């Protein structure tokens, strides 16, 4: 989705803005642009398509500017064209915008009737034109921002620069926005994501909704002022030192961020367990001891929804508490039955997924407390939750979610154990350590998964199957494969195959069958049914089980011993590798698959 970066300072703004936009590329976008204040003019350079197109234009012009804003756009209002790309500017202001202005068309009609002209089809330009109109009336930028923002509805973040100064202004409603400063270098920054500011701004501020931020760089200092909409000084912002390391911004020795993130999982699992069982996180989980609710309403999208199904199983099996799991875009419109005493649990890597946020609002309106399992601290979901269970996965750049799934599911498992009051049982910590070791072993032997991928990558379709706790893993395995390898893949409960999907089976279809030690015979008979119809078989099953190995065209042998609860997470990593290698053989854009965005901030 869209990304914003702004800079003001003594250096050339072009470098940090382009670097910041490059870091936000992973979120998905379809055009990019920059506006630079040069010789008291606002000069806009923008281009549809990849950021490289914009970089080429910049290389030709070699501009130098102390103040600028940049944007990567993911189209919502108006087609993907250079005119619709941001920034939008005129003789007074330039604006970049993330989100949607809901009442844009009403204002646009009024403004056109008043004689104003529009150059694009975007809702953003309505903000620009209205801002300019108010400025012409008041000659006061802060007042005009306040009036414009108050007039327009919808969840948005705006960053504004003006011809008459080097200030950076910004304001937002339920959309991510971070303001940064580097006191030593006298630089001010703004972005939609702190990740863009790593290494640039050691001090960052998260303004709350409807707080206007004004960054002023002088010859001596850099100052950030915060105002309420009545222009009184505001304290509604959170300060944080930007502790993220530069390592997060590079692939290291890996060919893709996705591969790096798969490899990070072993270590992150141990870190998360130490945090929640032994260190500061312990008191967060202990608050759940003995906790019961008539029903957990788990809501999420995509991979996070799959993690939700894993967590539902944990809550029901460990705690015998009823849990429902819904896809957020379904839950919000189904008029859900929500009763007092029940709890909503939202799962999201980004904490910015529009449908998940809408469900959170709905639950809040109905008086249902809102808990979240979330990666991004300070995200909208995080801020609006009554309790947060951070997954501490670090930045996840690959659009295909990998480490976030594992840590979401593990966090849910730990929540279940905390409710049960068994966080101190040594078997808990050792199972988690074992999971971490097994994942590390898988990473060390990933070449064997590459060989499996080589055998099947050219096949027409893939059906992932699993029973019980492996069913959500079948769904997740299929999602991962389709999103990065662009092949048709479906996940099914193994016993469901004969109720329809078996009609698809022939020699061009691969059944990736998860055969866990539980219900083994029943799952093996499902494999036999596929084999009898000439389907290709890949079994992900227990090691040293020759009696079923012979059924498979390829056998991925895993050591399920000692992982009674966490084996689904282990199996899932094998499927992540399989998807990765198939995608690599197909030559797709693994980290930024076509048509996908890392965080889906529109409905
Ligand atoms: O940021 P979120 O966890 O809320 O995102 C939810 C989905 O959009 C996300 O999991 C998506 O399905 C991924 N591309 C899956 O790899």
């Amino acid at each position: 989705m869209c990304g914003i970066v702004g800079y003001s300072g003594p250096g050339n703004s072009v470098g940090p803005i382009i670097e910041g936009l490059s870091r936000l590329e992973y979120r998905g976008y379809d055009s990019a642009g920059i506006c630079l204040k040069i010789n008291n003019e606002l000069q806009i350079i923008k281009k549809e398509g990849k950021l490289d197109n914009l970089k080429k234009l910049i290389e030709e012009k070699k501009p130098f500017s102390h103040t600028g804003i940049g944007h990567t756009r993911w189209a919502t209002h108006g087609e993907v064209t250079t005119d619709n790309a941001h920034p939008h500017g005129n003789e007074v202001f330039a604006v970049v915008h993330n989100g949607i202005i809901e009442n844009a068309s009403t204002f646009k009609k009024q403004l056109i009737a008043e004689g104003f002209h529009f150059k694009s089809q975007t809702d953003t330009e309505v903000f620009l034109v209205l801002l300019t109109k108010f400025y012409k009336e008041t000659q006061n930028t802060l007042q005009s921002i306040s009036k414009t923002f108050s007039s327009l509805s919808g969840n948005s973040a705006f960053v504004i620069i003006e011809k008459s100064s080097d200030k950076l202004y910004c304001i937002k409603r339920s959309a991510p926005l971070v303001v940064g400063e580097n006191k030593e270098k006298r630089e001010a920054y703004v972005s939609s994501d702190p990740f863009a500011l790593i290494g640039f701004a050691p001090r960052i501020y998260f303004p709350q909704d409807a707080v206007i931020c004004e960054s002023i760089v002088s010859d001596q200092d850099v100052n950030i002022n915060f105002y309420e909409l009545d222009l009184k000084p505001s304290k509604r912002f959170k300060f944080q030192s930007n502790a993220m390391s530069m390592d997060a911004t590079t692939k290291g020795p890996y060919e893709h961020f996705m591969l790096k993130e798969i490899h990070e999982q072993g270590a992150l699992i141990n870190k998360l367990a130490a945090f929640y069982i032994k260190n500061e996180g312990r008191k967060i989980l202990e608050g759940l001891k003995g906790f019961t609710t008539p029903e957990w309403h788990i809501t999420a999208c995509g991979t996070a929804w799959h993690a939700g199904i894993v967590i539902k199983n944990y809550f029901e099996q460990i705690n015998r508490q009823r849990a429902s799991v819904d896809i957020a875009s379904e839950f919000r419109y189904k008029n859900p039955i929500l009763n007092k005493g029940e709890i909503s649990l939202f799962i999201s890597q980004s904490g910015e997924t529009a449908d998940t946020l809408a469900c959170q609002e709905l639950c809040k309106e109905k008086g249902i407390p809102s808990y979240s399992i979330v990666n991004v601290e300070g995200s909208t979901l995080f801020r609006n939750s009554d309790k947060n269970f951070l997954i501490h996965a670090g930045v996840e750049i690959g659009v295909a979610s990998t480490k976030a799934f594992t840590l979401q599911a593990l966090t849910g498992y730990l929540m279940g154990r905390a409710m049960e009051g068994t966080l101190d049982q040594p078997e808990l910590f050792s199972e988690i350590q074992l999971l971490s070791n097994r994942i590390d072993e898988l990473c060390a032997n990933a070449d064997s998964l590459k060989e499996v991928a080589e055998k099947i990558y050219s096949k027409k379709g893939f059906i992932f199957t699993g029973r019980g706790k492996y069913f959500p893993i079948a769904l997740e395995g299929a999602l991962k494969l389709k999103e990065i390898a662009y092949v048709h893949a479906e996940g099914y409960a193994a016993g469901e195959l004969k109720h329809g999907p078996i009609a698809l089976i022939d020699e061009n279809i691969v059944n990736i069958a998860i055969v866990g030690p539980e219900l083994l015979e029943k799952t093996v008979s499902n494999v036999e049914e596929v084999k009898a119809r000439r389907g290709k078989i890949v079994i992900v099953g227990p090691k040293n089980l020759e009696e079923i190995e012979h059924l498979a065209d390829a056998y991925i042998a895993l050591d399920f011993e000692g992982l009674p609860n966490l084996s689904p997470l282990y199996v899932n990593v094998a499927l992540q590798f399989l998807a990765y290698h198939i995608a690599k053989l197909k030559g797709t854009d693994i980290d930024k698959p076509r048509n996908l965005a890392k965080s889906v901030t529109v409905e």
Side-chain angles (χ1 to χ4, degrees):
M1 299 272 126
C2 308
I4 292 176
V5 185
Y7 170 97
S8 178
N12 188 355
S13 59
V14 176
I17 292 176
I18 294 297
E19 169 61 24
L21 292 181
S22 308
R23 290 188 198 166
L24 301 187
E25 269 193 291
Y26 77 97
R27 297 166 66 97
Y29 67 101
D30 43 49
S31 52
I34 190 166
C35 178
L36 304 168
K37 193 186 151 221
I38 302 174
N39 299 331
N40 290 325
E41 292 296 328
L42 295 173
Q43 292 193 14
I44 293 176
I45 310 171
K46 54 189 186 178
K47 191 76 190 149
E48 70 178 84
K50 291 281 174 197
L51 189 59
D52 278 344
N53 299 348
L54 176 70
K55 285 185 189 164
K56 273 189 206 127
L57 291 177
I58 289 175
E59 268 158 33
E60 283 163 22
K61 295 180 195 256
K62 301 208 181 336
F64 185 98
S65 159
H66 294 303
T67 304
I69 46 177
H71 190 263
T72 44
R73 172 177 188 249
W74 193 86
T76 57
H77 283 61
E79 294 154 25
V80 179
T81 62
T82 298
D83 280 346
N84 286 337
H86 299 209
H88 295 280
N90 57 23
E91 66 294 351
V92 192
F93 295 110
V95 177
V96 288
H97 164 220
N98 282 3
I100 287 177
I101 303 174
E102 283 165 355
N103 53 354
S105 60
T106 315
F107 272 95
K108 190 167 177 174
K109 272 188 217 134
Q110 275 176 30
L111 290 163
I112 290 174
E114 288 173 38
F116 290 94
H117 295 287
F118 286 81
K119 292 183 264 184
S120 76
Q121 303 160 309
T122 62
D123 50 350
T124 310
E125 206 183 351
V126 175
F127 182 95
L128 172 74
V129 173
L130 199 58
L131 177 71
T132 312
K133 173 186 147 141
F134 289 139
Y135 183 77
K136 288 190 172 154
E137 289 163 13
T138 60
Q139 296 297 308
N140 182 315
T141 303
L142 286 171
Q143 246 180 50
S144 308
I145 291 175
S146 167
K147 276 180 90 173
T148 311
F149 183 79
S150 310
S151 309
L152 301 174
S153 59
N155 296 344
S156 290
F158 301 95
V159 179
I160 304 125
I161 55 173
E162 60 190 353
K163 195 170 123 175
S164 60
S165 82
D166 280 305
K167 294 178 188 176
L168 289 175
Y169 299 93
C170 61
I171 188 162
K172 60 121 199 166
R173 186 185 296 116
S174 290
L177 190 67
V178 55
V179 183
E181 63 183 3
N182 187 328
K183 286 269 181 205
E184 246 170 58
K185 295 188 173 169
R186 285 189 299 108
E187 291 173 332
Y189 291 89
V190 58
S191 180
S192 50
D193 188 335
F195 179 56
L197 305 188
I198 300 175
F200 292 117
R203 295 161 60 83
I204 52 177
Y205 301 84
F206 293 93
Q208 289 189 25
D209 282 357
V211 171
I212 307 176
C213 315
E214 176 195 44
S215 306
I216 308 177
V217 175
S218 68
D219 290 345
Q220 295 79 38
D221 206 358
V222 46
N223 285 304
I224 301 173
N225 302 321
F226 299 90
Y227 302 98
E228 295 296 333
L229 289 177
D230 59 9
L231 303 188
K232 294 206 175 104
S234 173
K235 290 216 164 77
R236 291 193 303 119
F237 59 84
K238 193 178 146 206
F239 168 73
Q240 201 176 290
S241 59
N242 196 357
M244 278 197 253
S245 129
M246 286 296 279
D247 288 352
T249 67
T250 62
K251 289 186 240 179
Y254 301 100
E255 197 177 337
H256 295 98
F257 279 107
M258 180 182 177
L259 192 60
K260 178 187 178 200
E261 287 157 7
I262 294 174
H263 278 84
E264 281 171 1
Q265 295 177 103
L268 286 170
I269 285 167
N270 280 336
K271 254 177 89 182
L272 191 78
F275 174 77
Y276 278 123
I277 301 175
K278 303 197 163 157
N279 301 325
E280 317 92 272
R282 173 78 189 214
K283 57 180 184 305
I284 303 172
L285 279 192
E286 268 177 349
L288 289 174
K289 193 167 175 185
F291 181 85
T292 58
T293 170
E295 183 160 352
W296 289 92
H297 296 278
I298 303 175
T299 313
C301 299
T303 286
W305 173 60
H306 297 152
I309 307 175
V310 176
I311 293 170
K312 167 197 160 79
N313 292 344
Y314 286 141
F315 286 3
E316 290 188 344
Q317 295 314 313
I318 301 171
N319 310 98
R320 305 306 287 167
Q321 289 189 29
R322 195 182 295 278
S324 57
V325 196
D326 280 278
I327 295 172
S329 55
E330 291 294 311
F331 182 85
R332 58 184 295 198
Y333 297 115
K334 76 171 194 182
N335 191 12
I337 300 169
L338 298 167
N339 297 308
K340 219 166 182 274
E342 295 170 349
I343 302 285
S344 56
L345 176 62
F346 303 98
I347 307 174
S348 174
Q349 188 285 125
S350 62
E352 301 296 348
T353 300
D355 282 314
T356 308
L357 294 178
C359 296
Q360 187 183 42
E361 291 240 316
L362 177 73
C363 290
K364 280 180 140 315
E365 273 163 27
K366 304 268 177 192
I368 304 291
S370 147
Y371 291 11
S372 292
I373 295 180
V374 58
N375 192 28
V376 180
E377 192 172 2
S379 60
T380 310
L381 187 71
F382 177 93
R383 290 194 316 273
N384 295 340
S385 292
D386 298 301
K387 274 192 205 308
N388 280 296
F389 300 90
L390 283 167
I391 64 166
H392 295 287
V395 188
E396 188 182 64
I397 294 179
V399 167
S401 186
T402 51
K403 60 179 179 175
F405 172 88
T406 303
L407 295 163
Q408 285 161 347
L410 183 60
T411 304
Y413 177 58
L414 290 171
M415 287 170 70
R417 297 294 298 246
M419 286 190 267
E420 194 192 36
T422 55
L423 282 179
D424 283 322
Q425 287 190 355
E427 127 297 311
L428 169 65
F429 204 70
S430 54
E431 186 180 0
I432 294 173
Q433 272 182 325
L434 194 60
L435 172 69
S436 160
N437 294 343
R438 295 268 161 84
I439 290 177
D440 285 346
E441 280 164 22
L442 257 181
C443 292
N445 298 313
D447 274 356
S448 60
L449 290 155
K450 190 171 154 197
E451 282 163 25
V452 176
E454 277 160 3
K455 286 190 187 165
I456 57 172
Y457 78 99
S458 57
K459 293 289 168 192
K460 195 169 99 204
F462 297 79
I463 297 184
F464 289 69
T465 49
R467 278 176 184 263
K469 58 186 173 190
Y470 304 110
F471 169 49
I473 306 306
L475 295 176
E476 174 58 10
L479 176 66
K480 215 81 310 165
L481 182 61
K482 67 184 126 188
E483 58 181 346
I484 62 168
Y486 315 154
V487 291
H488 188 238
E490 293 301 333
Y492 278 100
E496 185 65 11
L497 216 58
K498 59 172 99 48
H499 297 283
I502 204 163
L504 294 169
I505 302 294
D506 64 19
E507 63 280 10
N508 290 311
I509 300 291
V510 185
N511 175 205
I512 314 240
I514 307 168
V515 181
E518 310 82 359
L519 294 170
L520 188 125
E521 282 92 13
K522 287 204 181 302
T523 320
V524 170
S525 7
N526 301 132
V527 172
E528 302 263 21
E529 288 157 10
V530 174
K531 197 172 170 63
R533 286 154 184 88
R534 291 176 295 127
K536 291 274 161 246
I537 309 282
V538 174
I539 292 180
V540 186
K543 65 174 196 182
N544 305 327
L545 215 63
E546 273 155 28
E547 61 272 34
I548 62 167
E549 276 184 37
H550 74 275
L551 287 174
D553 297 286
Y555 193 87
I556 301 172
L558 298 182
D559 186 356
F560 287 76
E561 269 303 306
L563 296 175
N565 301 300
L566 297 174
S567 57
L569 280 53
Y570 171 46
V571 172
N572 189 54
V573 177
L575 299 188
Q576 291 172 351
F577 272 118
L578 198 58
Y580 174 82
H581 286 301
I582 293 177
K584 220 181 137 201
L585 288 160
K586 294 220 164 240
T588 58
D589 190 351
I590 292 181
D591 282 335
K592 286 176 256 154
R594 68 184 181 199
N595 307 337
L596 296 184
K598 182 64 185 166
S599 93
V600 184
T601 52
V602 291
E603 296 168 22

